[in-house]
Structures are given as structure tokens and as C-alpha cells.
């Protein structure tokens, strides 16, 4: 059974059909990529899965459960974590605080316990910290642990956002253009991490990415979107040969 | 330079992670405890006012400084707390019950205000809270059966564990104890998950939500805790002023509270208290200044308000991190000497909110 099944998903903003009847399925353990020109509706698909908007039509099924109308803050509890195309970090907080916020879905203590800072709060905070430190080690963020996020270079901030999503211990990770703004070395690190996240952490990854070298390297299944619709689906090599895809990228009419 | 050697994660969780913090705060507390022994009555009375403002400033800091929800109407919660406390005392409740109840009442009303405020941020929220405070002022004025309206209301005598709250020393220690409790409770909250969620709310609501923060719940918590703490400050305030009128809790008071947290430094509890101390100096300074100015200016109504506004604007323009931010920079300079970089506190470009999650 597919881990994530999107069926006939649609939304329009005013006159713009941002997503117009898109269907696809992501299998467990896959790295699945959505590509397409700017404005194709890729980010909007992510926003619909994470419930920032109500879709006009269609269903989203995750792990056998219908989450089409789930409340937004509960999505991560089902096991879906995400990053944002233009970064949505907590700029005034430190890297460590950002990562600990990634642990929010795993909180177990009550408000009153926290105000009194009972021993069980200390215990749970230490447990969260240990998990965050694992992520810090995995992504080599040690040097930045206590830096305010706003003071970090763009590439590092992208890694922090990835780390924050990993701290949630999701089953499915949504990455919106993880390589954009990265230099070649950082992109190479990213490729390694994606491989490791799949093989060592057992994650399934759905990503939007323009860097076709990266896509060819890490991804086995690609969906091409254009003007809100699915244009083609297949292996990276297959879709790049597809005449409709080439036409869309060159901007000619079919 | 200062080096930190840590071997356990618990060390980072302590209320005072560094020994110097503990020493500094301990020394401050000792001074505060000794103050009644050396200060004349008048100054002790003024200092007590500052302690009460301190409680209110912590309440507002939680909402505006951490959760990023600006309130221009927090005097209303002080008013609700003050009247609730006075009415409950009048009804025969003891101080130890009536003050927490006053806080609960203010907190519950804060939560109710939080519901329509859920979809508002920034300027809209500031205006909504301002409108709320004006409504509260009117309701207090009109509800004569309960509050004796514009005629004003005498705050009943009260005592706590045998100490008379009319006695300035007893009251000073009571206010100090409550301020300490409120500071520690708030600091505890801020070093655990809910506090982090509030900070998350301020910086990015979408990301907070994507990580599992229930926005309506978190905002309701921020509003009700903030209003509750401010309500307790209002109860204490009632004893200090002795006589309650609807006008005691007007926009000027709200603006003063906001000025304290902004001048002190949004996003820091120490900043809230620094801001209170700053106001404690500014207020008498304005009074003295008035005597030296030509009477056309010195006697002008609204001079105080004008100067408050001016200070607020100057801080927002030139030191948005407030007094506490300034202090951090000075401290960082010495901690990192001789390696301090000027750019340490500079921010890199961020995207406009509206284009961020496209
Ligand atoms: N919140 C929104 N309000 C109005 N229009 C939107 C919104 N989000 C996206 N759009 C529009 O939907 C279309 C698809 O956008 P998007 O999903 O961001 O594309 P991309 O494939 O580049 O990620 C664009 O025309 C965009 O302007
Ligand atoms: Mg996009």
C-alpha cells in the first residue's frame, strides 16, 4: 500500500487553478520528486498536504488514513514533517531551540508541570535534547548549536530547517526545493543526507527540486507538473525524454 | 574570554546556567530584601509601585515580547484584577484567596478576548486590544451595582498571615514575593515546550503549526496567562492606590506598560524588569524637568505622555532590542574580548512574510 496517496487534488486562488486535478502515490522508502516550471503548483501541493489551505476537490490519504480535512497542527502527528521553499525558521531563537521545537509533537508534560518545572519536565527536556543532539551530529551542526538562526548563512539555515523537520521523527518528509541557494559542496552533502535518511532512518521523501543532477542521483520516481496539472510521471530518465515535458520547459505550446 | 565547560544536558536547563548569573541575581535579591531597612517610607512606597509594575510588565512581556502579540490595552486587565480583588475582599474573602481569584478572572476574560484575536496580528490586534480596554473602562464606569461606577470605590483593608497590607513594609515584602514567584513561573514556562511554542508563534505561525503547535490553543494560553498575571498586578495595585476609579486604568497606563517592555527589550524577562526600572527613573525625572521648563511647556497637559511616546519611538528606531539588548552587546564584548565582531548582532536578509511560504 502506498504511504501517501493524492487523488484528483485541486484548488484555485481567484481565477488561478493553482492545482488542477493532480494524482500521484508515494511508496514507502521512496524518494519521489515533483519537478516543473515556476508557478506550476508544486509548493501548493505541499501546502495542501500540510493543510495550510482547504482543497476544493480531491483526497489525501496517508498511511491508510484520510487526512484531507485534518486539522493543520495534527498533520505532523500522523508522521509528516516539512521544510519551506523560502525558509520558515524561528529567527530569534537559537539553532538548538529551533530543533527542540521540532520535538513539539512528542511533548508529554502538562502546562502546570512546566510552570512548576517538575522533575518530569527536566526528564522530558533531557530526552528531547538527546534526540536533538543526534540530529545535530547527523547534520554536523555542532558549531552552530547556540547561534541565533538569524546570524547564520543561508546554506546553514537550510540545514537547520531540515534538522528541525527530522527532530519530529516523521515517516514522510516533504522537502520544498532543498538544494536551491546551496553551493555545489552543500548540494553534495544534501545528496548524502537524503540517501542516509532513506537507508538509515527509514524515511520516505517527497521533494520539489529543480536541480536535475541531484534528482537523477537520489530519486527514483518523478512527477512533472505544469500549470497545475500532472504532465508526466516516471523515472528521471524517462520523464526527461518526454516531448511534452521538454515542450513545457522550453515554454512552447504542445 | 569566558569558557563554559558543560558535561550534562541538565546544566543547560537550570534557571541560572552560569554561576555569575546566580551571584548577580542573588545579590539583587539581597538588596531588595534589605531595602526597607534603609529606605525612607516615601521611596519604599515608590519602589513598591515598581514591583507591582514589574508583575504587570512580566505579564505583558509574555504576550508581546515572546508570543509577539502586541497589546495596547493591558491596563484593562489590571483594572479587572483590581476591581475583582477589591470586590472579593469586600465580600469577605481573605487576601490569600481573593488575589489568585482576581488573577483567574482576569485570565478567563483574557482567554475570551483571545478568541476573536486569533485571526489578528500586528496593528489590527493592537487596535482591537485598545478598543477592548476602552470598553472595559466604560463597563466599569456603568456597572455601578458592582463597582460603584465613576464615584469610585474604596479598597478594603486586608491582611495576609497576620501582616497588614496597609503597612508599607509588609506590603513591600508581599509584592516582592509575588514578583519573584511570577518571574520564576514564567521563566520555567519559557524553558519548556509551551514557552518555545510561544516564541515559535512570534517568528512563524506556519512553521509552528507544521511542527504540531495548535495555534488557537497556544494563543489562548498566551492571552490568559498574560491577562492573569497582569490581573494579579492589578490586585496589588489596588492596595497601593487605595481608591479605584475607572479612569485609573486608561490608555496612558497601557502605554506605560508597553513602553516598559519595549524599552527594556522585547523577548526577555530581565528586559521587562529593566524597563520598569527605567520608568522608575524617567517618571520622577519628568516631574523635576517640569519645574525647569518654561511654564507654557512644563505645565502643558500631555507633556508626560508626549515624552513617553518619544522615548518609545526612539527605542524602536535605534535600539529595537531595548536596554537588555544593549547590555547583551556590552557583555558579549567583554566575554569575547579580544575577538568581538561588530557583525555578531547583525541579521541577514529575511523574506517578507507574505512571500515566504509560496
Ligand atoms: N496563497 C496564495 N494565494 C494566491 N495565489 C497563490 C497562492 N499560493 C500560490 N498561488 C499561485 O498558485 C500558482 C502556483 O504557485 P506555486 O505552488 O507556489 O508554484 P511552484 O510550482 O513554483 O511552487 C501560482 O500562480 C501562484 O501565484
Ligand atoms: Mg514553489
Amino acid at each position: 500500500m502506498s504511504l501517501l496517496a493524492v487523488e484528483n487534488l485541486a484548488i484555485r486562488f481567484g481565477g488561478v487553478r493553482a492545482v488542477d486535478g493532480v494524482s500521484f502515490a508515494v511508496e514507502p522508502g521512496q524518494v519521489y520528486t515533483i519537478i516543473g516550471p515556476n508557478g506550476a503548483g508544486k509548493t501548493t501541493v505541499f501546502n495542501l498536504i500540510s493543510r495550510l489551505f482547504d482543497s476544493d476537490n480531491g483526497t489525501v490519504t496517508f498511511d491508510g488514513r484520510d487526512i484531507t480535512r485534518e486539522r493543520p497542527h495534527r498533520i505532523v502527528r500522523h508522521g509528516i514533517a516539512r521544510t519551506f521553499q523560502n525558509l520558515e525558521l524561528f529567527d530569534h531563537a537559537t539553532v538548538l531551540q529551533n530543533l527542540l521545537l521540532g520535538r513539539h509533537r512528542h511533548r508529554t508534560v502538562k502546562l502546570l508541570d512546566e510552570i512548576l518545572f517538575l522533575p518530569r519536565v527536566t526528564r522530558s527536556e533531557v530526552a528531547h535534547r538527546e534526540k536533538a543532539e543526534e540530529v545535530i551530529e547527523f547534520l554536523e551542526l555542532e558549531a552552530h548549536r547556540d547561534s541565533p538562526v538569524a546570524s547564520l548563512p543561508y546554506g546553514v539555515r537550510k540545514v537547520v530547517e531540515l534538522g528541525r523537520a527530522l527532530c519530529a521523527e516523521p515517516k514522510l518528509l516533504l522537502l520544498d526545493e532543498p538544494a536551491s541557494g546551496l553551493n555545489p559542496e552543500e548540494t553534495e552533502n544534501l545528496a548524502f543526507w537524503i540517501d542516509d535518511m532513506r537507508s538509515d532512518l527509514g524515511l520516505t521523501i517527497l521533494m520539489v527540486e529543480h536541480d536535475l543532477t541531484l534528482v537523477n542521483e537520489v530519486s527514483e520516481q518523478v512527477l512533472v507538473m505544469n500549470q497545475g496539472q500532472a504532465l508526466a510521471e516516471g523515472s528521471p530518465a524517462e520523464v526527461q525524454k518526454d516531448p511534452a515535458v521538454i515542450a513545457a520547459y522550453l515554454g512552447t505550446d504542445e | 574570554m569566558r569558557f563554559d565547560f558543560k558535561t550534562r544536558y541538565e546544566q543547560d536547563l537550570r534557571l541560572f546556567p552560569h554561576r555569575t548569573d546566580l551571584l548577580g541575581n542573588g545579590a539583587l535579591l539581597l538588596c531588595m530584601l534589605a531595602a526597607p531597612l534603609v529606605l525612607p517610607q516615601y521611596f519604599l512606597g515608590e519602589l513598591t509601585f515598581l514591583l507591582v509594575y514589574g508583575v504587570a510588565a512580566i505579564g505583558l512581556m509574555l504576550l508581546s515580547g515572546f508570543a509577539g502579540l502586541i497589546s495596547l490595552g493591558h491596563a484593562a486587565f489590571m483594572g479587572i484584577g483590581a476591581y475583582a480583588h477589591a470586590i472579593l475582599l469586600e465580600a469577605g474573602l481573605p487576601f490569600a484567596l481573593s488575589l489568585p481569584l482576581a488573577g483567574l478572572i482576569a485570565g478567563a476574560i483574557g482567554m475570551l478576548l483571545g478568541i476573536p484575536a486569533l485571526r489578528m496580528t500586528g496593528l489590527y490586534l493592537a487596535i482591537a486590544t485598545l478598543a477592548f480596554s476602552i470598553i472595559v473602562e466604560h463597563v466599569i464606569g456603568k456597572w455601578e451595582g458592582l463597582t460603584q461606577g465613576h464615584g469610585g470605590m474604596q479598597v478594603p483593608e486586608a491582611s495576609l498571615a497576620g501582616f497588614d497590607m496597609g503597612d508599607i513594609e509588609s506590603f513591600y515584602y508581599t509584592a516582592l514575593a509575588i514578583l519573584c514567584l511570577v518571574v520564576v513561573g514564567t521563566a520555567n514556562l519559557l524553558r519548556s515546550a509551551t514557552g518555545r511554542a510561544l516564541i515559535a508563534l512570534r517568528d512563524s505561525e506556519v512553521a509552528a503549526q507544521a511542527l504540531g503547535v495548535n495555534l488557537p490553543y497556544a494563543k489562548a494560553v498566551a492571552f490568559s496567562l498574560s491577562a492573569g498575571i497582569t490581573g494579579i498586578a492589578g490586585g496589588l495595585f489596588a492596595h497601593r492606590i487605595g481608591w479605584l476609579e475607572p479612569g485609573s486604568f486608561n490608555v496612558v497606563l497601557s502605554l506605560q506598560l508597553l513602553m516598559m517592555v519595549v524599552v527594556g527589550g522585547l523577548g526577555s524577562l530581565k528586559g521587562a524588569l529593566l524597563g520598569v526600572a527605567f520608568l522608575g527613573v524617567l517618571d520622577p525625572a519628568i516631574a523635576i524637568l517640569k519645574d525647569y521648563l518654561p511654564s507654557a511647556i512644563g505645565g502643558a497637559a500631555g507633556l508626560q505622555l508626549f515624552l513617553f511616546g518619544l522615548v518609545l519611538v526612539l527605542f524602536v528606531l535605534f535600539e529595537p532590542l531595548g536596554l537588555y539588548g544593549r547590555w547583551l552587546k556590552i557583555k558579549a564584548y567583554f566575554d569575547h574580548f579580544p575577538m568581538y565582531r561588530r557583525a555578531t548582532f547583525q541579521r541577514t536578509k529575511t523574506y517578507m512574510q507574505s512571500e515566504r511560504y509560496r
Side-chain angles (χ1 to χ4, degrees):
Chain A
M1 188 187 58
S2 313
L3 185 63
L4 177 78
V6 169
E7 262 160 69
N8 217 7
L9 200 62
I11 187 173
R12 57 161 80 196
F13 296 111
V16 182
R17 292 171 188 274
V19 175
D20 191 8
V22 170
S23 304
F24 62 92
V26 182
E27 305 305 322
Q30 235 177 8
V31 175
Y32 191 107
T33 309
I34 304 179
I35 65 171
N38 275 327
K42 307 177 297 291
T43 298
T44 306
V45 169
F46 274 22
N47 288 344
L48 287 173
I49 295 172
S50 50
R51 297 288 295 114
L52 280 179
F53 308 125
D54 285 333
S55 56
D56 296 336
N57 198 5
T59 56
V60 180
T61 315
F62 180 73
D63 219 1
R65 279 196 210 92
D66 185 355
I67 58 164
T68 319
R69 286 287 177 267
E70 180 59 291
R71 293 197 295 162
H73 70 272
R74 295 188 56 92
I75 293 297
V76 70
R77 288 189 217 170
H78 289 277
I80 304 179
R82 71 171 288 185
T83 66
F84 295 84
Q85 184 173 349
N86 290 327
L87 295 184
E88 286 285 336
L89 282 163
F90 308 118
D91 282 337
H92 296 84
T94 63
V95 169
L96 183 61
Q97 280 174 316
N98 270 273
L99 296 182
L100 287 173
L101 267 156
R103 301 290 303 158
H104 195 84
R105 70 173 275 223
H106 298 285
R107 70 183 278 246
T108 48
V109 293
K110 298 263 176 325
L111 182 64
L112 202 60
D113 300 349
E114 294 179 328
I115 292 176
L116 301 173
F117 218 77
L118 298 182
R120 75 173 78 114
V121 178
T122 308
R123 277 198 301 276
S124 86
E125 284 295 310
V126 169
H128 292 324
R129 175 71 187 267
E130 276 163 359
K131 185 68 212 174
E133 290 292 337
E134 280 175 26
V135 171
I136 286 177
E137 199 185 321
F138 177 64
L139 297 176
E140 293 160 24
L141 282 169
E142 289 89 349
H144 305 295
R145 189 187 282 118
D146 293 318
S147 313
V149 163
S151 70
L152 296 173
Y154 189 77
V156 180
R157 285 199 272 166
K158 285 211 91 137
V159 179
V160 174
E161 212 192 29
L162 174 63
R164 189 179 66 181
L166 282 182
C167 278
E169 295 183 80
K171 290 180 204 147
L172 174 70
L173 194 55
L174 309 183
L175 303 176
D176 198 347
E177 305 202 9
S180 78
L182 298 189
N183 63 34
E185 192 192 338
E186 289 167 332
T187 309
E188 203 164 304
N189 278 341
L190 179 69
F192 282 121
W193 286 328
I194 290 178
D195 270 341
D196 284 353
M197 285 189 291
R198 172 169 41 180
S199 54
D200 298 354
L201 306 179
L203 282 180
T204 306
I205 295 171
L206 171 61
M207 68 175 185
V208 168
E209 185 48 65
H210 286 299
D211 184 337
L212 290 182
T213 326
L214 179 72
V215 175
N216 290 333
E217 200 175 323
V218 300
S219 183
E220 56 261 273
Q221 190 74 352
V222 177
L223 176 77
V224 188
M225 279 183 70
N226 189 29
Q227 297 184 351
Q229 292 177 335
L231 204 60
E233 192 187 357
S235 72
E238 278 164 27
V239 298
Q240 281 163 51
K241 283 194 301 244
D242 191 314
V245 174
I246 296 168
Y249 266 93
L250 294 177
T252 52
D253 286 304
E254 55 263 51
Chain B
M1 284 202 71
R2 182 173 74 182
F3 295 96
D4 286 324
F5 294 106
K6 293 180 191 149
T7 49
R8 292 158 57 80
Y9 295 141
E10 280 90 343
Q11 287 170 305
D12 272 347
L13 288 173
R14 289 188 302 219
L15 209 44
F16 305 109
H18 308 294
R19 186 167 301 161
T20 44
D21 297 337
L22 189 61
L23 287 178
N25 286 292
L28 181 64
L29 186 62
L30 275 184
C31 290
M32 297 299 283
L33 284 173
L37 307 178
V38 291
L39 282 184
Q41 287 267 316
Y42 171 77
F43 285 107
L44 192 62
E46 294 300 296
L47 194 55
T48 316
F49 258 123
L50 295 188
L51 294 179
V52 173
Y53 279 134
V55 175
I58 296 287
L60 182 57
M61 185 61 92
L62 189 62
L63 186 71
S64 299
F66 289 98
L69 303 164
I70 298 291
S71 165
L72 260 181
H74 247 50
F77 294 116
M78 275 186 89
I80 292 168
Y83 272 95
H85 181 53
I87 291 165
L88 290 171
L89 283 178
E90 192 75 58
L93 259 67
F95 182 94
L97 214 62
S98 132
L99 191 67
L101 268 178
L104 280 181
I105 292 171
I109 294 177
M111 193 180 324
L112 290 183
L113 175 67
I115 294 170
L118 278 181
R119 299 200 160 272
M120 290 184 238
T121 47
L123 197 56
Y124 298 101
L125 184 62
I127 292 171
T129 48
L130 180 65
F132 166 75
S133 77
I134 293 170
I135 293 171
V136 167
E137 208 180 314
H138 276 276
V139 170
I140 292 176
K142 290 277 186 270
W143 200 343
E144 290 177 1
L146 200 62
T147 65
Q148 292 160 42
H150 291 282
M153 176 178 183
Q154 175 85 42
V155 179
E157 309 256 306
S159 64
L160 178 64
F163 291 103
D164 175 16
M165 289 298 114
D167 170 49
I168 184 66
E169 279 193 18
S170 312
F171 186 65
Y172 173 85
Y173 283 119
T174 310
L176 182 61
I178 290 176
L179 177 60
C180 288
L181 285 179
V182 165
V183 168
V184 170
T186 313
N188 283 346
L189 186 73
L190 290 170
R191 59 188 169 136
S192 39
T194 306
R196 277 195 298 271
L198 296 187
I199 298 172
L201 209 76
R202 176 187 64 190
D203 285 349
S204 169
E205 290 194 358
V206 266
Q209 204 167 37
L211 294 169
V213 176
N214 181 345
L215 289 188
Y217 173 77
K219 286 189 180 182
V221 165
F223 261 100
S224 48
L225 284 180
S226 169
I229 294 171
T230 311
I232 288 177
L236 292 172
F237 193 71
H239 286 293
R240 255 333 265 144
I241 57 178
W243 182 263
L244 299 181
E245 286 171 38
S248 320
F249 305 97
N250 58 11
V251 179
V252 180
L253 183 59
S254 292
L255 202 64
Q256 276 184 346
L257 290 174
L258 192 64
M259 190 178 85
M260 290 179 209
V261 297
V262 171
V263 167
L266 289 172
S268 128
L269 291 182
K270 281 183 197 140
L273 299 182
L274 272 179
V276 173
F278 178 80
L279 193 86
V281 177
L282 183 68
D283 223 10
I286 293 177
I288 295 169
L289 187 72
K290 269 186 183 165
D291 295 340
Y292 288 93
L293 287 172
S295 60
I297 303 177
L303 176 71
Q304 193 199 23
L305 196 57
F306 169 75
L307 288 175
F308 283 165
L310 186 68
V311 168
L312 198 58
V313 169
L314 289 178
F315 264 93
V316 169
L317 285 181
F318 297 111
E319 190 59 283
L321 295 177
L323 291 171
Y324 185 65
R326 180 60 25 206
W327 158 246
L328 279 185
K329 284 178 200 169
I330 297 170
K331 206 166 82 119
Y333 179 81
F334 284 107
D335 280 352
H336 295 263
F337 189 83
M339 325 258 249
Y340 182 70
R341 290 188 307 136
R342 274 190 141 247
T344 309
F345 289 91
Q346 252 159 34
R347 300 187 48 183
T348 42
K349 177 184 182 294
T350 46
Y351 284 85
M352 295 245 314
Q353 287 281 353
S354 58
E355 55 179 326
R356 280 166 82 181
Y357 55 90
R358 291 276 176 92

